[in-house]
Amino acid sequence: MNHSSQEWASQAQRPGPYSHAPAPAETVIHVPNKRLRKYDKVSTGEPTTTVQQTGPGTSGEPLAYVHVPQDTPKGGRQARPAFTLTAPNGEPLGSVRSVGDGVYEVYGGDGAPLGRITRRAGRTLPWPRRVRWSVQPAQGGAPLTGDVGTRTAWAVFVLISPLYFLCWAVMAAQGSLWLLLGEKGEAKKEAAWEMEPPTWTRWRAADEPEAAIEYRTGRKYRVAAPRLDHRLAYAQAVLHVWDRA
């Protein structure tokens, strides 16, 4: 789909011919990251991963399938591969493509612009700054922004990092010992231990106290449907999981 930024802006007010069933007032979605990280290993025709509904009364029903072309270059954190979203019945829901520097344009299944997702990179110097995600719907309104991790969580993370590296060195030494003894299973257990950086992210408008999307852990997202098109929420969830992978 070859759209320029100018086309994205000019088409933003055009209604599309596709009709989508309204999403529930609130839903929890889950995006497994294992296959997402290895999209080039997925068999032709199979989805790269699935956006699933989770929570009480659900059993992982698919909400959308994610398709990433196998020959798409990886691109790095600021330019993830293009992907498409399809409904369980095969109906095209949307497509996402990078336009560089952490900016992604999102289109509906009919090609009409849905919005723009932006990732502002974090940094340590000259002063700390968290990764920030922004979702700007094409129909206008205030953007939804979310900083990855709270300030308190990051402060604690920095303080205990030296202890983590000490523990990691001990675990690595134990893993090497298990390998020498021929116990590959035990060695893998030792090597799998890691400390994840803070992840809690809440996307909300500046003038709204309630979040439109909230991520805590486990690749699960709570989505408040009235505040955001569910297709934009799916696209943001996939990009966010990619960032945590």
Side-chain angles (χ1 to χ4, degrees), residues 159-182:
L159 289 174
I160 66 175
S161 290
L163 179 61
Y164 161 72
F165 285 113
L166 176 60
C167 292
W168 177 85
V170 172
M171 301 290 279
Q174 290 178 341
S176 299
L177 181 59
W178 282 119
L179 277 178
L180 290 174
L181 295 174

Side-chain angles (χ1 to χ4, degrees), residues 17-189:
Y18 285 81
S19 62
H20 297 276
E26 181 177 300
T27 187
V28 179
I29 62 176
H30 175 239
V31 183
N33 73 323
K34 185 176 181 181
R35 298 189 73 183
L36 188 62
R37 291 183 298 173
K38 300 180 179 179
Y39 65 85
D40 52 341
K41 306 297 183 183
V42 177
S43 300
T44 303
E46 290 188 10
T48 306
T49 192
T50 306
V51 178
Q52 304 169 337
Q53 185 173 2
T54 186
T58 65
S59 56
E61 291 88 349
L63 296 171
Y65 295 112
V66 180
H67 303 269
V68 184
Q70 292 179 310
D71 58 350
T72 303
K74 295 188 182 299
R77 287 186 180 274
Q78 291 297 94
R80 293 300 188 184
F83 62 92
T84 58
L85 297 163
T86 59
N89 63 0
E91 177 189 2
L93 293 179
S95 61
V96 182
R97 70 179 181 90
S98 167
V99 294
D101 199 26
V103 180
Y104 301 87
E105 292 180 351
V106 185
Y107 298 91
D110 58 352
L114 293 179
R116 180 169 289 162
I117 297 174
T118 304
R119 179 190 185 274
R120 187 195 69 181
R123 68 185 180 198
T124 304
L125 298 173
W127 55 83
R129 187 177 74 182
R130 294 170 288 173
V131 172
R132 170 174 290 182
W133 288 96
S134 300
V135 181
Q136 177 63 68
Q139 298 301 325
L144 304 172
T145 61
D147 293 315
V148 178
T150 64
R151 290 189 178 92
T152 301
W154 276 108
V156 172
F157 179 81
V158 171
L159 289 174
I160 66 175
S161 290
L163 179 61
Y164 161 72
F165 285 113
L166 176 60
C167 292
W168 177 85
V170 172
M171 301 290 279
Q174 290 178 341
S176 299
L177 181 59
W178 282 119
L179 277 178
L180 290 174
L181 295 174
E183 297 289 344
K184 293 184 179 180
E186 294 297 329
K188 286 183 179 180
K189 291 179 183 179

Side-chain angles (χ1 to χ4, degrees), residues 211-223:
I213 315 177
E214 183 176 21
Y215 173 82
R216 287 184 178 270
T217 188
R219 279 72 184 176
K220 295 180 180 179
Y221 299 79
R222 182 182 63 83
V223 181

